[in-house]
Amino acid sequence: MSSTWGNAIKLSIFGGSHTEAIGVTVDGLPAGEQIDWEEILIQMARRAPGQDPTATARSEKDMPKVLCGLLNGVTTGAPLTAIIENTNQRSKDYENLRVLPRPGHADYTAYLRYGNHHDVRGGGHFSGRLTAPLVFAGALARQILSRRGVTVGSHVVTVGQSQGDEPFEPVHVSPELLNRLNREYFPVIEENAREEMRREIENVRLEADSVGGIVECAVTGMPAGVGNPMFGGVENLISSLVFGIPAVKGIDFGAGFSAAYLRGSQNNDTFYYDEQGNVKTRTNFSGGILGGITSGMPLIFQVAIKPTPSIGKEQDTIHLEKKENAKLVIEGRHDPCIVPRAAPVVEAAACIACLELLAENGSV
Amino acid sequence: MSSTWGNAIKLSIFGGSHTEAIGVTVDGLPAGEQIDWEEILIQMARRAPGQDPTATARSEKDMPKVLCGLLNGVTTGAPLTAIIENTNQRSKDYENLRVLPRPGHADYTAYLRYGNHHDVRGGGHFSGRLTAPLVFAGALARQILSRRGVTVGSHVVTVGQSQGDEPFEPVHVSPELLNRLNREYFPVIEENAREEMRREIENVRLEADSVGGIVECAVTGMPAGVGNPMFGGVENLISSLVFGIPAVKGIDFGAGFSAAYLRGSQNNDTFYYDEQGNVKTRTNFSGGILGGITSGMPLIFQVAIKPTPSIGKEQDTIHLEKKENAKLVIEGRHDPCIVPRAAPVVEAAACIACLELLAENGSV
Amino acid sequence: MSSTWGNAIKLSIFGGSHTEAIGVTVDGLPAGEQIDWEEILIQMARRAPGQDPTATARSEKDMPKVLCGLLNGVTTGAPLTAIIENTNQRSKDYENLRVLPRPGHADYTAYLRYGNHHDVRGGGHFSGRLTAPLVFAGALARQILSRRGVTVGSHVVTVGQSQGDEPFEPVHVSPELLNRLNREYFPVIEENAREEMRREIENVRLEADSVGGIVECAVTGMPAGVGNPMFGGVENLISSLVFGIPAVKGIDFGAGFSAAYLRGSQNNDTFYYDEQGNVKTRTNFSGGILGGITSGMPLIFQVAIKPTPSIGKEQDTIHLEKKENAKLVIEGRHDPCIVPRAAPVVEAAACIACLELLAENGSV
Amino acid sequence: MSSTWGNAIKLSIFGGSHTEAIGVTVDGLPAGEQIDWEEILIQMARRAPGQDPTATARSEKDMPKVLCGLLNGVTTGAPLTAIIENTNQRSKDYENLRVLPRPGHADYTAYLRYGNHHDVRGGGHFSGRLTAPLVFAGALARQILSRRGVTVGSHVVTVGQSQGDEPFEPVHVSPELLNRLNREYFPVIEENAREEMRREIENVRLEADSVGGIVECAVTGMPAGVGNPMFGGVENLISSLVFGIPAVKGIDFGAGFSAAYLRGSQNNDTFYYDEQGNVKTRTNFSGGILGGITSGMPLIFQVAIKPTPSIGKEQDTIHLEKKENAKLVIEGRHDPCIVPRAAPVVEAAACIACLELLAENGSV
C-alpha cells in the first residue's frame, strides 16, 4: 500500500502537482466495457478547480489522455493508464515552502519522510490535484457499476457553520436522486441549502480563511451478501480509499457516531418481507452493512473534510534551516472551501470500492 | 484481506464463537522480544466478558495458549500462534437463529454470503469473541512498542445519553495517563464520569435494552515521519483494523468531524520550536497526522460503537424458511453495553497498526 | 509474504519442528464443501516420515486436529485452521546446532536473520515438517478441485543417478493415471523404475549419504482461459508456492529447460479442433500455459529437489562462538532421500495454486 | 498480482505493443537517489530489438520519458513513472491474428480470457515489448543497489544446440566480471562462445525458424541474512518476477536441476572462516540461498527461454470463427533468437527482487 491499492481491481496513482504529468493505472478491469468519454469528463469537471455549474465539461487543459487499456473506447482487459499533463510546471519559486512548512499541510511531514528530496512544488505527490486520477478511475468504475444496476451519488451536508442540507432518507434514497446529484457541481438535496452554504463560503473567502464540511455518499443497487468479515468488510474497504483523499479526517457508516447515543432497540434495523417478497429493513441505521457484508439496503456513509489549510492569513510556523520560529503568508489565490469538489472524489472512492467488492465476488 | 491483515506484520485470525478454539497467527514479529505474560493477561482480562475491576487477571477459562513463536518467553522471529479454547461448544440449540436472523447482527448477511453452511452458533466467525485474538496480538505489539517509547491508551468518552468523560487534551496527553488508562477495565480520565456512565448502563439493562458509545484512543512516542501518502497513510492503516472490530461504525482523527465546522485559521496546527529545539504544534487538531504521516504530536482518534444488537426486548424479524415476517425474543443474558470492553480492542488495533508502521519503516 | 500466502485463498502456516504444535489457517475457502477426512489422511500419510506403502493411513501421532472452519465436516466459509501437535518437544539437546551450523541447512542463515533467538530445535520453522500443514491445505483444495473436474498427481522421475521413471506423455496424461499416482507412497508410472530408485536410495543410505531427485506433476481438467499476464501467471503462482517447500531448487513448465535446445518449429504446439470441436494442441511443450493463462491442455511441471542436507558423514563447518573452523557429525537417523515424500507436497502446492486460480476467476 | 507486483517496492506495468505508450510506475523507491540517465539507456539498448554491439545507446524512438518521481535527476520518494511512446500504432492489419491464433503465443489464451476485446495488435499486453518497462525499472534498481555494493550481471549460456558458454564459477564470480557482462549486448564469459552461438542463430534464421537458450544470472554483494522462510524466500521472490518475462519456462538456483543427481556429501556447501574472518562456503551449490535467506555467497540462477514462437515457416492452427483447422504463415521479419536480449531483462528482474529484499529488510 501507499499509492498502490487493491486486490481484484488495482490502482496505481502517480505524479505530483508540478511534475510532467499525473495519472493512474487501473489493473483488473473487466474486458469489453464500453467507456463513455463524456461521462468521464463530467466527473473530472466536477472535481476541477474554478468550475462553475454552467461551465462546459471540456476543460482542455485537464483532459485525461488514455495511454492504453482501451481499444475503440472499449476496455481490453489489460491495465488502463491515463495521464493528465501538468501545464504549470515551472511557474513559481517554491524554495520558500521548503524551509517554511505550511501549517496543516504535509510539507513538514514530507520533509521528515523524504528529506530535502521531497518535491515541494504545489505539495508534490501530496497535492489535492492527485484526486484527479482517482476521479478518473472512479468514473470508469461508475460506468461498469451502472450497467450492473449500481448507482453512486453524494451531496454536501454541511459547510462550516451553515445550517446545511437535509441528510439522505436512509431507507428511501433513490437512484434517481443519486443520478441527479452525481452530475452537479455543488450537489445538494435541498436547493436552498446550497445558497446558504455558498454565502458561508463567500464570507470565509472575504476573511482570507477557509472552512471544512461534510459529504454524505450513498450507493444503491449493490447486491446483498457482498463483502467479508473482519478486515475485508465494506467499511474497511471504503475507508481504505477515502482516507487516501487529502483533508479527510473522519468517516462513519449509517448512523455512525450518532449510533453511540442510541439504544439497541432504536438502532437495530428490523427485517421484513416487502410485498414483492424481498427482504428489507424498516430503518437503515446500519448504512446497509452488517458484519462487513451488504444487506441489500442502500450503503450510506459520511465523510468529514477539514478546512483547506492554505489560507491567506498570516500564520506562525518554523524555519527549518534557521531552526527558529517564523511567520508565513501564503501568496496567491486559495480555494476557501473544497467540500463541493470533494463530493465527486468521495463518490469515486465509493465506485472503486464497490467495483472491487463485485470483482472479488466474481460478479464482474 | 478478510481475516488476514497486514504487510510487514501479518495477522491471521481464526475461529468462531463455538468452534473448538479461536486464535491468531502473527507473522513478522521481530526476534528477541521478551514477552511478559502477565501483561498479556491484563489486556485479555480487560476485554473478557463479566469482568469486574477487582477481579484477577487470570481467568483460566480464557487463557491463551501459545503454540509456537516463543521460546522461553522470547520471540523467535517465526510466526507466533496462540489459541483460546472454547468451552461452551455444544451448549445450546442455535437452529432458531438460522431461520430468524437477529436485527443488527450479521446473521442475515452471513446467510446470504455463506448459505446454510454459516456457523450460526453464537455468531460464528462474526462473534465479538473474535476480538480476543486481536487483543492478544495487540498485547504482543504493545510490549514491543513500549520498549521503543510508544504508549497506547484509551478511555470511554460517552455511553448513550450520559454526559461522559472529558476528551484527551490533544497536545498534552501523557504516557503516564495512557499507562493508567490502559490497565483499567472501564477507563476514564475523570472518575465521576465512570459512575454516571455505569448508571446509564444499569438503566438500560433494566429495560432489556443496550447502548452504544465512543472510545477515544491516543498514542504517544511514535517517531515523527512515519507513514505514507495516499492509501498507506496512518489513518488508512488504523481504520483498516478498527473496522474489523464488530460494532464499530465510525472513526475520526484529531478534530475529525468537528473539523468540518471549523475554519482553517482555527484548525491549522501552527508549528514552533520548543525550548529543547523540538518541532511541536500549538494545537493538535490534526490528531498527529499530516498527509498520512506522523507529525510527532500525539496520535488521537475516536471510534463510534453502536449499541449491542442483542437485546432482551421482542423484535420484528423474518423467518427465512417460511418466508414470512416473524417475532424474535433473544433468550439469555445480554451485555447491555460493550463500550468499556471495546476500549482495549481499539487499543489493540492501534498497537498493531503502530507496529506495522514502525516495521515498514525499518524501525523494528 | 513469508509464511503467509495468497489472495483469494490465503494460507498462514505456523509452527516449528519442536514447538507445541504446527498448523495452517486457510482463509477464503468456499462454504458448503464436504471434506472427506480419510482423503485428508491419505495425503498426510504420503508425506509422513517412515511410512511404508502398506502402512495404515491413520498415524495417530500426526493426526491433524481442526480447530474451526468445519461444521459437521462441511466448510462454513470462515477460516479453517488445523493443528498437528508435536510430541517430541523436549527430547534432545540442540545447543550444538546453535554453534555448529549444518552445511546445506538454514541454520546459519536463520542465525543471521534472527540471531540467537532462532529456534534451532529440529530446524524450527525451517523444518521439512512444516510441509505437513501445506499438505493438509492441499488436501482440502484437492477435494474442492475434484468436484470441479480438476485432478492433480505426480511421480518421481529421478532419484540420484538411477535411470528413473518415464515422463508423463504431455498430451495424453489422464486423470485416471493421476488418481492412481496421487494415492501412492512412492508414485511412479513404470513399476520397475521404483525398484531401481529404491536400490539407489538404499545404497546411499549404506554410505551415510543422501540423494536428490526430480518430481513431475500434472493437472488435468483446469478450465482453459484461467490465469493472468505478467506476474499473475500460472507459472508465477505455482512457483511462488513450490519454492516454499524446503529443498526445492528449480522448477520448469512443459518442455522447460529442454525448450532451450529446441527450435520454434519443434516447440510451438500447433492448434487443431478435435472431433468434438474442442481446441487442442498436437504437442504440449508449453505445459498447458501460454502467456500465463491455461490453454486447456494438461498443466505439467517438474521440480528439482536437492539431496537432504542431513547426512551421517562427518562434514566441515564453523563454530560460531569460537569463530573457528570445526567438524560436525550429525547424530541420529537420517532420511537418505525425501523425493518420494516431496511428491505429495508438490501436488499440494499445485492444488492450492489451482484453487486460487479458480477463485480469482470466480469459478469457485 | 498480475501486472502489479511487490510489497516494499511496487511495480505497475502498463501498455501493449500498439497502444499509445507503454510504461511503468515504481512506488517505494527511496528518496535522494541520483539516477544516471546514460546508465538507464545502456540497459534499454541491450534489450531493444535490432541492436548491434556497436550501435549507440541513444535510440530516440524508444527513449523513456519520466513523468514524475524525479526532480533534477534525483528520486523524490514519490512514485516514479516512465513511459515509452509507441510509434507504430496503426501500421498493420491484425484482424488475421484475431481468428488465426499463432502457435506458442498467447493469442488463443488471451482470446479465452478477454474475448474479442483483447488487443491482438502485436500481442497487446502480452508482447515482449512489455519487458522494456521492466528493464527501465531494473535499471533504476540497479543504480540504487550499486551504491550499496550489489552487482548484477548475466550471460548467455546456451543457444539451441550450440556448445555454449562456460558457466559462472559459483564461488568466484566477481563484480568486475558482472560489470563487464551487464553492459554487453550479447554477454558471454568466453568470447569464442559468442561466435558459435551467433552462427547457430544465423543458421536458424536462414531456415525461417527460431531457437531458445539459457541465461545465467549472478548477484554479488547482497548482505547475508536477507530473505524469509517459506513463501517469502529469495527464490520465490526472484521467480515471481522472472516468470513475468514472456518465453521463460524454467528457473533454477545454484546447482538447481543438477542437484537432483548429486549426493548430499557433494551438494552440501561446507562453511569455513576465510583469512579475514568472514564466513564462506567452499562450494556454492546452493546458489547463495539457504532456507530462502542469503548466505553471503553469490546468488546464482539459470533461466530457460523457449524459442521465439513467431517463425516464418507455415504452421497448423485453427480458425476461431470458421471453427475449422487452418494454416498460418506469419508475415514480416522475425527475431530468430531473443536469448541475448532476454539477458538484460533477467538482470532487471534480479535487480528489482534484490532491491525489494533490501527494502523489506530496512537496508534501503
Side-chain angles (χ1 to χ4, degrees):
Chain A
M1 289 289 165
S2 179
S3 304
T4 311
W5 179 92
N7 189 2
I9 306 293
K10 282 172 283 280
L11 300 187
S12 172
I13 292 182
F14 50 86
S17 175
H18 284 58
T19 60
E20 188 86 19
I22 61 175
V24 61
T25 298
V26 190
D27 187 8
L29 291 175
E33 297 288 332
Q34 179 86 41
I35 300 303
D36 182 328
W37 197 246
E38 290 295 319
E39 292 294 325
I40 300 271
L41 296 182
I42 286 169
Q43 295 305 322
M44 300 296 288
R46 291 175 71 206
R47 192 216 67 89
Q51 282 290 336
D52 197 78
T54 59
T56 171
R58 303 238 199 130
S59 163
E60 287 299 332
K61 82 175 189 236
D62 260 6
M63 188 68 101
K65 180 177 165 188
V66 172
L67 299 183
C68 54
L70 285 183
L71 189 58
N72 304 324
V74 177
T75 58
T76 63
L80 192 159
T81 301
I83 62 172
I84 302 164
E85 284 169 21
N86 285 326
T87 50
N88 58 344
Q89 285 174 250
R90 266 168 300 269
S91 49
K92 219 172 122 180
D93 179 17
Y94 281 97
E95 285 313 301
N96 205 28
L97 290 182
R98 196 177 288 289
V99 290
L100 294 170
R102 292 168 294 175
H105 270 279
D107 297 342
Y108 174 62
T109 54
Y111 163 77
L112 292 170
R113 180 80 166 74
Y114 305 112
N116 274 320
H117 309 293
H118 171 56
D119 183 357
V120 293
R121 301 172 302 166
H125 190 56
F126 294 85
S127 167
R129 184 159 165 75
L130 270 291
T131 55
L134 194 63
V135 168
F136 177 86
L140 295 173
R142 189 191 292 267
Q143 296 187 31
I144 298 170
L145 291 170
S146 172
R147 246 162 248 144
R148 285 149 183 88
V150 179
T151 309
V152 177
S154 73
H155 66 123
V156 179
V157 177
T158 310
V159 162
Q161 301 287 341
S162 66
Q163 193 177 333
D165 198 18
E166 58 189 61
F168 283 126
E169 287 186 71
V171 169
H172 299 294
V173 59
S174 71
E176 291 72 26
L177 172 61
L178 299 181
N179 275 331
R180 165 166 79 78
L181 296 172
N182 69 28
R183 303 175 81 83
E184 289 185 4
Y185 169 67
F186 194 137
V188 287
I189 297 175
E190 179 56 60
E191 292 289 327
N192 296 337
R194 187 190 289 125
E195 288 320 301
E196 198 208 325
M197 292 194 269
R198 280 201 168 135
R199 278 193 300 274
E200 167 85 352
I201 296 171
E202 192 52 31
N203 289 340
V204 164
R205 183 200 307 271
L206 295 174
E207 298 178 34
D209 212 335
S210 65
V211 270
I214 293 175
V215 170
E216 187 183 39
C217 184
V219 183
T220 58
M222 275 294 281
V226 168
N228 299 289
M230 297 229 166
F231 313 119
V234 176
E235 293 103 332
N236 312 58
L237 201 62
I238 291 177
S239 62
S240 73
L241 277 163
V242 163
F243 281 116
I245 306 171
V248 169
K249 295 303 282 188
I251 188 168
D252 64 355
F253 295 84
F257 275 90
S258 309
Y261 303 96
L262 296 178
R263 297 207 168 180
S265 56
Q266 298 168 301
N267 188 67
N268 283 352
D269 302 311
T270 55
F271 297 105
Y272 72 101
Y273 283 105
D274 72 5
E275 293 182 2
Q276 287 75 43
N278 298 315
V279 175
K280 294 274 171 67
T281 58
R282 295 201 186 274
T283 51
N284 187 18
F285 289 98
S286 75
I289 310 164
L290 289 169
I293 299 173
T294 55
S295 69
M297 297 300 291
L299 296 185
I300 300 184
F301 65 95
Q302 295 80 28
V303 175
I305 316 277
K306 71 175 185 183
T308 335
S310 279
I311 57 175
K313 288 176 191 280
E314 185 185 74
Q315 296 179 90
D316 288 337
T317 189
I318 50 176
H319 194 293
L320 287 168
E321 281 181 3
K322 297 186 186 163
K323 305 274 180 201
E324 61 185 28
N325 295 333
K327 298 285 182 189
L328 172 72
V329 176
I330 308 173
E331 305 289 344
R333 291 172 51 187
H334 311 294
D335 197 342
C337 183
I338 56 159
V339 181
R341 291 176 53 210
V345 188
V346 169
E347 291 173 28
C351 289
I352 295 163
C354 287
L355 186 62
E356 168 76 25
L357 285 164
L358 293 186
E360 285 179 6
N361 197 45
S363 309
V364 171
Chain B
M1 289 287 166
S2 175
S3 305
T4 310
W5 179 92
N7 188 2
I9 306 292
K10 283 172 280 279
L11 300 186
S12 171
I13 291 183
F14 51 86
S17 175
H18 284 59
T19 61
E20 189 85 20
I22 61 176
V24 61
T25 298
V26 190
D27 188 8
L29 291 175
E33 296 289 333
Q34 180 86 41
I35 300 303
D36 182 328
W37 197 246
E38 290 296 318
E39 292 293 326
I40 301 272
L41 296 182
I42 286 168
Q43 295 305 321
M44 300 296 287
R46 291 175 72 206
R47 190 216 67 90
Q51 282 290 335
D52 197 77
T54 59
T56 171
R58 300 237 199 131
S59 163
E60 288 299 331
K61 82 177 189 230
D62 260 6
M63 187 69 103
K65 181 178 165 186
V66 172
L67 299 183
C68 54
L70 286 183
L71 190 58
N72 304 324
V74 177
T75 57
T76 63
L80 191 159
T81 302
I83 61 172
I84 302 165
E85 284 169 19
N86 285 327
T87 50
N88 58 345
Q89 285 174 250
R90 266 168 300 269
S91 48
K92 223 175 119 179
D93 179 17
Y94 280 97
E95 285 313 302
N96 206 28
L97 290 182
R98 195 176 289 288
V99 290
L100 294 170
R102 291 169 296 176
H105 270 278
D107 297 341
Y108 173 62
T109 53
Y111 162 78
L112 294 170
R113 181 79 166 74
Y114 305 112
N116 274 319
H117 308 294
H118 171 56
D119 183 356
V120 292
R121 300 171 304 164
H125 189 57
F126 293 86
S127 168
R129 186 162 166 72
L130 270 292
T131 56
L134 194 63
V135 168
F136 178 86
L140 296 173
R142 189 190 291 267
Q143 296 186 32
I144 298 169
L145 290 171
S146 173
R147 246 163 249 143
R148 286 151 182 87
V150 179
T151 309
V152 177
S154 72
H155 67 123
V156 179
V157 177
T158 309
V159 162
Q161 301 286 341
S162 66
Q163 191 178 335
D165 199 16
E166 59 189 60
F168 283 125
E169 288 185 71
V171 169
H172 300 293
V173 59
S174 71
E176 293 71 28
L177 172 62
L178 299 181
N179 275 331
R180 166 168 78 77
L181 296 172
N182 69 27
R183 303 174 81 84
E184 289 185 5
Y185 169 68
F186 194 137
V188 288
I189 296 175
E190 180 57 58
E191 291 290 326
N192 297 337
R194 187 191 289 125
E195 288 319 302
E196 198 209 325
M197 291 194 271
R198 279 201 170 135
R199 277 194 301 275
E200 167 85 352
I201 296 172
E202 192 51 31
N203 289 340
V204 164
R205 182 200 309 273
L206 295 174
E207 298 178 33
D209 213 334
S210 66
V211 271
I214 293 174
V215 170
E216 187 184 39
C217 185
V219 184
T220 59
M222 276 293 281
V226 169
N228 299 288
M230 296 229 165
F231 312 118
V234 177
E235 294 105 330
N236 311 57
L237 201 62
I238 290 178
S239 63
S240 74
L241 277 163
V242 163
F243 282 116
I245 307 172
V248 169
K249 295 303 281 188
I251 189 168
D252 65 356
F253 294 84
F257 275 90
S258 309
Y261 304 96
L262 296 178
R263 298 205 168 181
S265 57
Q266 298 168 301
N267 188 67
N268 282 353
D269 302 311
T270 54
F271 297 105
Y272 72 101
Y273 284 105
D274 72 3
E275 293 181 2
Q276 287 75 43
N278 298 315
V279 175
K280 294 277 171 63
T281 57
R282 294 200 188 275
T283 51
N284 186 16
F285 289 99
S286 76
I289 311 163
L290 289 168
I293 299 174
T294 55
S295 70
M297 297 301 289
L299 296 185
I300 300 185
F301 64 96
Q302 296 80 29
V303 174
I305 316 278
K306 72 176 184 182
T308 336
S310 279
I311 57 176
K313 288 177 191 277
E314 186 187 75
Q315 296 179 90
D316 289 337
T317 189
I318 50 175
H319 194 292
L320 288 167
E321 281 181 2
K322 296 185 188 163
K323 306 271 180 204
E324 63 185 27
N325 297 331
K327 297 285 181 187
L328 171 72
V329 176
I330 307 172
E331 305 288 344
R333 292 172 49 189
H334 311 295
D335 197 342
C337 183
I338 56 159
V339 181
R341 293 175 53 208
V345 188
V346 169
E347 291 174 27
C351 289
I352 295 163
C354 287
L355 186 62
E356 168 76 25
L357 286 164
L358 293 186
E360 286 178 6
N361 196 44
S363 310
V364 170
Chain C
M1 290 286 166
S2 177
S3 304
T4 311
W5 179 93
N7 188 1
I9 305 292
K10 284 172 281 280
L11 299 186
S12 172
I13 291 182
F14 51 88
S17 176
H18 284 58
T19 60
E20 189 85 18
I22 61 175
V24 62
T25 297
V26 190
D27 187 8
L29 291 175
E33 296 288 331
Q34 180 86 40
I35 300 303
D36 182 329
W37 197 247
E38 289 296 318
E39 292 294 325
I40 300 273
L41 296 182
I42 285 168
Q43 295 305 321
M44 301 296 287
R46 291 175 72 206
R47 191 217 67 90
Q51 282 291 335
D52 197 76
T54 59
T56 171
R58 303 239 197 127
S59 163
E60 288 299 331
K61 82 176 186 220
D62 260 6
M63 188 68 102
K65 180 178 164 186
V66 172
L67 298 184
C68 54
L70 285 183
L71 189 58
N72 304 323
V74 177
T75 57
T76 63
L80 192 159
T81 301
I83 62 171
I84 303 164
E85 284 170 18
N86 285 327
T87 50
N88 58 344
Q89 285 174 250
R90 268 167 300 270
S91 50
K92 223 174 119 179
D93 179 18
Y94 280 97
E95 286 312 301
N96 206 28
L97 290 182
R98 196 176 288 286
V99 291
L100 294 170
R102 292 168 295 175
H105 271 278
D107 297 341
Y108 173 62
T109 54
Y111 162 78
L112 293 170
R113 180 80 166 75
Y114 305 112
N116 274 320
H117 309 293
H118 171 55
D119 183 357
V120 293
R121 301 170 303 163
H125 190 56
F126 294 86
S127 167
R129 185 162 166 72
L130 269 292
T131 56
L134 194 62
V135 168
F136 177 86
L140 295 173
R142 189 190 292 268
Q143 295 186 31
I144 298 169
L145 291 171
S146 173
R147 245 163 249 144
R148 285 149 182 87
V150 179
T151 309
V152 177
S154 73
H155 67 123
V156 180
V157 176
T158 309
V159 162
Q161 301 287 341
S162 66
Q163 192 179 334
D165 198 17
E166 59 188 60
F168 284 125
E169 287 186 70
V171 169
H172 299 294
V173 59
S174 70
E176 292 73 26
L177 171 62
L178 299 181
N179 275 331
R180 166 168 78 77
L181 296 172
N182 69 27
R183 304 174 79 83
E184 289 186 5
Y185 169 67
F186 194 137
V188 287
I189 296 175
E190 180 56 59
E191 291 290 326
N192 296 336
R194 186 191 290 125
E195 288 321 300
E196 200 208 325
M197 291 195 270
R198 279 199 169 136
R199 276 195 300 274
E200 168 84 351
I201 296 172
E202 193 51 31
N203 289 339
V204 164
R205 182 200 308 274
L206 295 174
E207 297 178 34
D209 212 334
S210 67
V211 270
I214 293 173
V215 170
E216 187 183 39
C217 184
V219 183
T220 58
M222 276 294 280
V226 170
N228 299 289
M230 297 230 167
F231 313 118
V234 177
E235 295 104 329
N236 310 57
L237 200 62
I238 291 178
S239 64
S240 74
L241 276 164
V242 163
F243 282 116
I245 307 171
V248 168
K249 294 302 282 188
I251 189 167
D252 65 356
F253 294 84
F257 276 90
S258 309
Y261 304 96
L262 296 178
R263 298 204 168 182
S265 56
Q266 297 168 303
N267 188 67
N268 282 352
D269 302 312
T270 54
F271 296 105
Y272 71 100
Y273 283 106
D274 73 4
E275 293 182 0
Q276 287 75 44
N278 298 315
V279 175
K280 293 277 170 64
T281 58
R282 294 199 187 276
T283 51
N284 186 17
F285 288 99
S286 76
I289 311 163
L290 288 169
I293 299 173
T294 55
S295 69
M297 298 299 291
L299 296 185
I300 299 184
F301 64 96
Q302 295 81 29
V303 174
I305 317 277
K306 72 176 184 182
T308 336
S310 279
I311 58 175
K313 288 176 191 279
E314 186 186 75
Q315 297 178 89
D316 289 338
T317 188
I318 50 175
H319 195 292
L320 287 168
E321 282 181 2
K322 296 184 188 164
K323 305 272 181 202
E324 62 184 27
N325 296 333
K327 298 285 182 188
L328 172 72
V329 176
I330 307 172
E331 304 290 343
R333 291 172 51 187
H334 310 295
D335 197 342
C337 183
I338 57 158
V339 182
R341 291 175 53 209
V345 188
V346 169
E347 291 173 26
C351 289
I352 295 162
C354 287
L355 186 61
E356 169 76 25
L357 285 164
L358 293 187
E360 285 178 7
N361 197 45
S363 310
V364 169
Chain D
M1 290 288 166
S2 178
S3 304
T4 310
W5 178 94
N7 188 4
I9 305 293
K10 283 172 280 279
L11 300 186
S12 172
I13 292 183
F14 51 86
S17 176
H18 284 58
T19 60
E20 188 86 18
I22 61 175
V24 62
T25 298
V26 190
D27 187 7
L29 292 175
E33 296 288 333
Q34 179 87 40
I35 300 303
D36 182 328
W37 197 247
E38 289 296 319
E39 292 293 325
I40 301 271
L41 295 182
I42 287 168
Q43 295 305 321
M44 300 295 288
R46 292 175 71 206
R47 192 216 68 89
Q51 282 290 336
D52 197 79
T54 58
T56 172
R58 302 238 197 128
S59 163
E60 289 298 331
K61 81 176 189 227
D62 261 5
M63 188 69 101
K65 179 177 166 188
V66 172
L67 299 184
C68 54
L70 285 183
L71 189 58
N72 304 324
V74 177
T75 57
T76 62
L80 192 160
T81 301
I83 62 171
I84 303 164
E85 284 169 20
N86 284 326
T87 49
N88 57 345
Q89 284 174 250
R90 266 168 300 269
S91 48
K92 223 174 117 178
D93 178 18
Y94 280 97
E95 286 312 302
N96 206 27
L97 291 182
R98 196 177 288 286
V99 291
L100 294 171
R102 292 167 296 174
H105 271 278
D107 298 341
Y108 174 61
T109 54
Y111 163 77
L112 294 170
R113 181 80 166 75
Y114 305 111
N116 274 321
H117 309 293
H118 171 56
D119 182 358
V120 293
R121 300 171 303 164
H125 191 56
F126 294 85
S127 167
R129 183 161 167 73
L130 270 292
T131 56
L134 194 63
V135 168
F136 178 86
L140 295 174
R142 189 191 292 266
Q143 296 186 31
I144 298 169
L145 291 170
S146 172
R147 246 162 248 144
R148 286 150 182 86
V150 179
T151 310
V152 177
S154 73
H155 66 123
V156 179
V157 177
T158 310
V159 162
Q161 300 288 340
S162 66
Q163 193 177 333
D165 198 16
E166 59 188 60
F168 283 125
E169 287 186 71
V171 170
H172 300 294
V173 59
S174 70
E176 291 73 25
L177 173 60
L178 299 181
N179 275 331
R180 166 168 76 78
L181 296 172
N182 68 29
R183 303 174 80 83
E184 289 186 3
Y185 169 68
F186 193 137
V188 287
I189 297 174
E190 180 56 61
E191 292 288 329
N192 296 336
R194 186 190 291 124
E195 288 318 303
E196 200 208 323
M197 291 195 272
R198 280 200 169 135
R199 278 194 300 274
E200 169 83 353
I201 296 172
E202 193 51 32
N203 289 339
V204 164
R205 182 198 309 271
L206 296 174
E207 298 179 33
D209 212 335
S210 66
V211 272
I214 293 173
V215 169
E216 187 183 39
C217 183
V219 183
T220 59
M222 276 293 281
V226 170
N228 299 288
M230 296 228 168
F231 313 118
V234 177
E235 294 103 332
N236 311 57
L237 201 62
I238 291 178
S239 63
S240 74
L241 277 164
V242 163
F243 281 117
I245 307 171
V248 168
K249 295 302 282 187
I251 188 169
D252 65 356
F253 294 83
F257 275 90
S258 308
Y261 304 96
L262 296 178
R263 297 205 169 182
S265 57
Q266 299 169 302
N267 188 67
N268 283 353
D269 302 312
T270 55
F271 296 105
Y272 72 99
Y273 283 106
D274 73 3
E275 293 182 1
Q276 287 76 42
N278 298 316
V279 175
K280 294 276 171 65
T281 58
R282 294 201 187 276
T283 51
N284 187 16
F285 289 100
S286 76
I289 310 163
L290 289 168
I293 299 173
T294 55
S295 69
M297 298 299 292
L299 296 185
I300 301 185
F301 64 95
Q302 296 80 30
V303 174
I305 316 278
K306 71 175 185 183
T308 335
S310 279
I311 57 176
K313 286 177 191 279
E314 185 186 74
Q315 296 179 88
D316 289 337
T317 188
I318 51 177
H319 194 292
L320 287 168
E321 281 182 3
K322 297 186 186 162
K323 304 274 182 201
E324 63 184 27
N325 296 333
K327 299 285 182 188
L328 172 72
V329 176
I330 308 173
E331 304 290 343
R333 291 172 51 186
H334 310 296
D335 197 342
C337 183
I338 56 157
V339 182
R341 293 175 52 209
V345 188
V346 169
E347 291 173 27
C351 288
I352 295 163
C354 286
L355 186 62
E356 168 76 25
L357 286 164
L358 292 187
E360 286 178 6
N361 197 45
S363 309
V364 169

